[in-house]
Amino acid sequence: MSDKEVSQSAVSQSADKVLDHFTLFRQPEYKAMFERKKAEFEYGHSDEEVARVAEWTKTEEYKAKNFAREAVVINPTKACQPIGAMFAAQGFEGTLPLVHGSQGCVAYYRTHLTRHFKEPNSAVSSSMTEDAAVFGGLNNMIDGLANAYSLYKPKMIAVLTTCMAEVIGDDLQGFIANAKTKDSVPADFPVPYAHTPAFVGSHIVGYDNMIKGVLSYFWGASEKYDTPKNETINLIPGFDGFAVGNNRELKKIAGQFGINLQILSDVSDNFDTPMDGEYRMYDGGTKIEDVKAAVHSKATISMQEYNTPQTLQFIKEKGQEVAKFNYPMGVTATDELIVKLAELSGKAVPDSLRLERGRLVDAIADSHTHLHGKRFAVYGDPDFCLGMTRFLLELGAEPVHILSTSGSKKWEKQVQKVLDGSPFGASGKAYGGKDLWHLRSLIFTDKVDYLIGNSYGKYLERDTKVPLIRLTYPIFDRHHHHRYPTWGYQGALNVLVRILDRIFDDIDANTNTVGQTDYSFDLVR
């Protein structure tokens, strides 16, 4: 900004009147500055040409070209493996994730999780630089483990990798063993690991790799052997942006049953620490002794099938019964979870849960007229999309476009089977391996009433004018949604309210012009 512009800006704000950026940048001097920048430095096309091309991208012709592209991905509905692995590691008591790679990478992973959970996020890096990229990162691992152990006093260090370490082929098992011989950490100190190359897979693959890595470390090799079983039921939540609320809801349900439920990777306390004058680098999490004992549990439940394929196979090889769900939301999906818990535990469904179910059904009956026939586009992780689709169908809504970049052909068939099971699914279709730019074409050529997804959908909302309902990770631009459950009957009620509130807000916004549309600006909905 020039001296003249700085002088002018003082007119808009002062030390006694500081404006927020969204007000400040609308002031005359800033408008003039932006126009000059555009004219003198951007060298863009004319406004008319930009508008013409923008309109063309809304056509069937452009949609065909968009769906034919192979060499580029535009705004995928996924993050990278290390984020999922770091999330999984932080669900264990006193565990410090160590990212074997550069400092910039771990800063990004920490920031991504912190922006969603609004909590500090502890993790360290082996600080690989150019020399390590050429000669390997063994010395970085030796020093990194020693520093992390002595400075931060963890009970466990979980090692994961970045692109750099994977491209040069660093051997984590060998490096960790070497570091222990150098006394970086005691020989018996737990250092599980997972290879998590960020250039393949996604955050749900990284989650799976880390959970399997931790269990493999404590449970031994994957060869089948007999272990005495107890009455405990293990549960793996999967990568879940609502884990704080959902994990607590699961523990509440287990308490109602009287079941000894062991959550493997419980992040609910670590991502929801209180402000009481005490800083907690580590808070809560699954105790290491409980992880060791979990091999003797009678069964393991995964709440998200596509988050845990390798882990469930490993557990199955231990002789445990396994059960898998697809982000169970709504009445039927929660019923299935409750029935499975009753079956595995041999306990009757408690009356308190039957009461919760009845209240949810009553709430749906109260509000179904506002949902009936509404058309939705849903995007996110494969399990979330399946769970959300099932619940929308229960509500009499019509899920039309269901899209997941991490979705496979198997997933597409699963979604299609769900759609085929309801008359409200007749116009629906699943799109695996596609991204949000594909979804943009779908919405412009086959309009929906609402979007359900994460914060990245706000650009689709602005472009297509389709209202967005934020119900999955990441939610960066709204606060504290993760503290409320979306699983269980209470969770389904929360989701129902969130959808209805958006619908009612939309109705009010479109009926508030005095003397023109306010004949429908009703006090009672």
Side-chain angles (χ1 to χ4, degrees), residues 363-364 366-371 450 469 493-507:
I364 292 172
D366 290 341
S367 307
H368 77 278
T369 53
H370 293 284
L371 296 155
Y450 296 95
I469 304 167
L493 184 59
N494 290 338
V495 173
L496 174 65
V497 170
R498 291 274 297 282
I499 294 173
L500 287 168
D501 280 351
R502 191 65 178 92
I503 290 173
F504 295 144
D505 286 343
D506 192 37
I507 293 172

Side-chain angles (χ1 to χ4, degrees), residues 266-308:
D266 182 4
V267 301
S268 58
D269 289 338
N270 208 30
F271 284 120
D272 190 27
T273 57
M275 183 171 285
D276 56 4
E278 176 188 351
Y279 172 67
R280 299 165 174 83
M281 176 168 277
Y282 319 103
D283 196 23
T286 307
K287 295 183 182 300
I288 292 174
E289 291 306 312
D290 290 336
V291 178
K292 294 176 182 177
V295 70
H296 301 295
S297 298
K298 70 187 303 184
T300 296
I301 294 172
S302 169
M303 296 294 280
Q304 299 191 68
E305 172 188 1
Y306 287 95
N307 282 235
T308 52

Side-chain angles (χ1 to χ4, degrees), residues 208-222:
D208 190 22
N209 286 338
M210 181 54 77
I211 295 295
K212 183 186 175 186
V214 171
L215 296 186
S216 298
Y217 184 90
F218 290 111
W219 292 9
S222 62

Side-chain angles (χ1 to χ4, degrees), residues 368 371-374 391-398 424:
H368 77 278
L371 296 155
H372 180 82
K374 291 287 191 298
F391 191 26
L392 288 172
L393 292 172
E394 282 185 341
L395 299 174
E398 299 179 13
F424 302 113

Side-chain angles (χ1 to χ4, degrees), residues 12-159:
S12 298
Q13 69 171 347
S14 66
D16 297 322
K17 182 186 177 184
V18 178
L19 302 180
D20 203 303
H21 61 91
F22 55 79
T23 301
L24 179 65
F25 293 157
R26 296 175 186 177
Q27 303 308 308
E29 65 272 17
Y30 280 95
K31 287 184 177 180
M33 183 182 69
F34 293 145
E35 285 299 320
R36 184 174 65 82
K37 175 177 176 289
K38 181 178 179 181
E40 296 181 12
F41 299 105
E42 292 183 2
Y43 303 106
H45 294 283
S46 67
D47 292 343
E48 293 76 18
E49 178 64 7
V50 171
R52 184 192 68 80
V53 174
E55 285 303 309
W56 174 64
T57 63
K58 303 174 185 179
T59 64
E60 287 283 355
E61 178 190 8
Y62 180 81
K63 174 186 168 184
K65 293 181 180 295
N66 189 11
F67 272 75
R69 64 181 158 92
E70 298 177 356
V72 65
V73 175
I74 306 172
N75 207 358
T77 65
K78 65 175 185 177
C80 59
Q81 280 203 52
I83 290 177
M86 182 182 290
F87 178 88
Q90 289 173 327
F92 296 97
E93 180 191 30
T95 296
L96 182 66
L98 187 150
V99 181
H100 186 46
S102 68
Q103 290 179 341
C105 293
V106 69
Y108 166 67
Y109 311 145
R110 293 175 65 189
T111 301
H112 210 272
L113 291 167
T114 294
R115 285 173 173 170
H116 174 85
F117 289 106
K118 314 303 179 193
E119 286 286 333
N121 184 14
S122 300
V124 295
S125 167
S126 62
S127 302
M128 291 176 68
T129 54
E130 290 85 349
D131 58 341
V134 175
F135 301 108
L138 174 58
N139 290 331
N140 299 75
M141 181 68 74
I142 292 171
D143 293 341
L145 283 173
N147 290 335
Y149 178 75
S150 62
L151 288 173
Y152 303 117
K153 306 295 189 288
K155 294 184 178 180
M156 179 167 79
I157 297 174
V159 178

Side-chain angles (χ1 to χ4, degrees), residues 68 146 198 258 260 303 334 351 366 444 446 449 460:
N260 185 16
M303 296 294 280
T334 304
D351 290 340
D366 290 341
F444 272 126
D446 189 8
D449 299 304
L460 281 176

